[in-house]
Amino acid sequence: MAKLDKVLQVDFGGNNPYETIYTFLTRKGQDSENTKKTYERHIRDFFRTMRNKELEQLTEDDLIFTPQQIELYQARLKEKYKGTTVNNTMSALKECYVRLERNGFDVRASWFDVERYKEYDKESYDTLTHEEVCKIINLVSKTRKGEEKALLVRMAYATAFRRQSLLDMKWNQIVNINGIWYAKVLGKGNKWSHKKLTDDLYNTLMEFKKKNNASDDDKIFKLTKRTVDRMMDYIRENMDFSDRRIVFHSFKKASLNEVNQLTGGDLKAIQAQGD
């Protein structure tokens, strides 16, 4: 209730586009915090590119575009991203404009009725062996911010959490339940997922926290998405994976495979590890 009261007390003033966008994103977050963050990133990137403005600075005039401008934005996105990513971006923008149009702004959600890209480029990814994960930890530990990168890989392998969930994780999400340490994140459906930590991994985390004088409200990892992307590039350049496609999500698949090996193929245990 306190959270709702705080939202209702936000003073936007006037017919401010951000009021509608803020409410739209807040509603998304009530179903899934990850979806909210993804939508907000897409919408912010759109207005930064097209208007060179943050959402909080938008005026009604900033919302107006021609269908040709939208198509050009879509085409430019495709020069940098997969068809799947572009399609998801345009869907998020259209949903936002549906809400803006419903709230009386002189806009048309139909501007975003662009032809979707075929998703032939929706590539699969491959897994890693336990030995390869160990080699990766050793490899990245010798690079800039190596200790932090190695710890990120260890956490990804131990928990099977997604990259963004790990990058958003705070120290207060390391919790003790009945004498056992867990890492927890808010996953799909706004449900908390808990993954057990080994004593060694927990102790390494605490040493890292102490070394960085971190508080419980601080994020565990200060790495950016771009830094992690470069880390994966470095890994692929310095290890031979033959024709396998190795991405950050490969650590999750490796985590599930490890649980499969340790439990003798216990399907429930594998499903729990993969949420």
Side-chain angles (χ1 to χ4, degrees), residues 25-229:
L25 292 172
T26 298
R27 179 62 186 85
K28 283 292 176 186
Q30 290 171 340
D31 288 332
S32 169
E33 188 63 27
N34 288 330
T35 299
K36 174 191 172 183
K37 289 177 181 177
T38 300
Y39 272 50
E40 182 172 355
R41 184 173 67 252
H42 291 326
I43 296 167
R44 283 192 181 277
D45 286 348
F46 174 71
F47 285 108
R48 283 169 179 164
T49 301
M50 302 297 282
R51 294 291 183 242
N52 194 29
K53 284 187 175 182
E54 296 298 326
L55 297 182
E56 295 82 354
Q57 302 169 333
L58 295 177
T59 66
E60 289 189 66
D61 289 344
D62 293 325
L63 304 176
I64 310 301
F65 297 95
T66 65
Q68 290 82 1
Q69 287 175 310
I70 302 302
E71 286 183 337
L72 180 58
Y73 181 73
Q74 180 197 32
R76 286 179 175 171
L77 280 181
K78 186 61 176 67
E79 293 173 357
K80 297 191 285 185
Y81 302 109
K82 297 188 301 180
T84 307
T85 301
V86 178
N87 290 340
N88 290 341
T89 299
M90 302 311 289
S91 294
L93 291 169
K94 181 176 179 179
E95 278 192 54
C96 180
Y97 265 70
V98 166
R99 185 65 60 87
L100 287 165
E101 185 175 354
R102 185 191 306 166
N103 281 19
F105 290 95
D106 188 18
V107 299
R108 302 290 178 271
S110 60
W111 295 339
F112 294 86
D113 286 336
V114 290
E115 184 178 356
R116 293 174 64 85
Y117 285 108
K118 294 178 181 178
E119 298 184 1
Y120 297 135
D121 54 359
K122 192 174 182 179
E123 301 174 77
S124 60
Y125 57 90
D126 296 294
T127 188
L128 294 154
T129 66
H130 176 76
E131 291 72 20
E132 286 174 331
V133 174
C134 291
K135 287 182 181 178
I136 287 171
I137 292 170
N138 183 58
L139 177 68
V140 301
S141 67
K142 299 173 182 176
T143 64
R144 182 174 175 271
K145 296 187 177 180
E147 183 181 12
E148 188 173 0
K149 291 175 184 175
L151 191 54
L152 177 68
V153 172
R154 288 187 64 183
M155 284 289 285
Y157 185 44
T159 65
F161 290 150
R162 297 182 314 110
R163 174 177 62 181
Q164 196 57 51
S165 294
L166 289 166
L167 294 181
D168 290 338
M169 184 182 291
K170 296 182 179 181
W171 286 107
N172 58 21
Q173 289 172 248
I174 305 296
V175 297
N176 188 291
I177 303 175
N178 297 325
I180 298 174
W181 289 100
Y182 293 86
K184 70 172 188 176
V185 299
L186 195 60
K188 292 182 178 179
N190 265 1
K191 293 181 180 179
W192 285 102
S193 172
H194 293 74
K195 299 296 172 62
K196 183 179 178 180
L197 301 175
T198 64
D199 290 342
D200 181 60
L201 180 52
Y202 170 74
N203 290 333
T204 302
L205 282 164
M206 291 304 104
E207 289 171 9
F208 183 72
K209 180 183 180 182
K210 183 178 180 181
K211 185 183 296 185
N212 289 279
N213 296 313
S215 67
D216 286 345
D217 289 330
D218 290 337
K219 286 186 177 181
I220 297 176
F221 301 104
K222 306 294 185 182
L223 302 170
T224 65
K225 178 179 177 294
R226 187 176 182 184
T227 299
V228 177
D229 286 340

